[in-house]
Amino acid sequence: MVELFLWILLAHIVADFVLQTPAIAEAKCAGYLRGYIKHAAWHFFALMVFTHQYVSLSMFGLWLALPLVHTLTDWAKNRLIPPRHPADAPAFVVDQALHLLVAFSAPIPRKT
């Protein structure tokens, strides 16, 4: 289970900090749905790549749920604290903490 969580964490890091282009980040900050959809798609893709060895029906549910919750968290953060606001740095830390909390609390499927 620890191994799977580490793969999920790696997928999160790659999707949030490697695959999220400046254009996607700007689109999200501007409130454009396409930015959120592209970001969620990268999270879905990264999760599939890093956790494919755990494929199961419950894992597929996790592949859908984690990007959805991640995207809703990003959207809420951008609505509550507009990007480039002086509180943006602490908001980033809280945002990442929430993403990790969701990953930690997700029902982790067992390897089949």
Side-chain angles (χ1 to χ4, degrees), residues 16-92:
D16 246 17
F17 301 107
V18 177
L19 299 175
Q20 180 172 218
T21 65
I24 291 172
E26 285 296 318
K28 284 178 15 185
C29 289
Y32 295 131
L33 183 60
R34 73 175 181 271
Y36 291 105
I37 290 172
K38 287 179 182 179
H39 189 55
W42 279 123
H43 272 275
F44 178 81
F45 175 75
L47 275 169
M48 282 186 9
V49 167
F50 287 108
T51 64
H52 70 277
Q53 67 271 27
Y54 298 91
V55 71
S56 68
L57 187 57
S58 56
M59 192 68 211
F60 184 73
L62 202 60
W63 288 346
L64 293 175
L66 285 178
L68 177 63
V69 172
H70 181 98
T71 302
L72 291 173
T73 302
D74 283 353
W75 177 83
K77 180 195 70 161
N78 287 340
R79 298 292 72 76
L80 295 171
I81 301 171
R84 293 173 197 63
H85 184 276
D88 199 35
F92 170 79

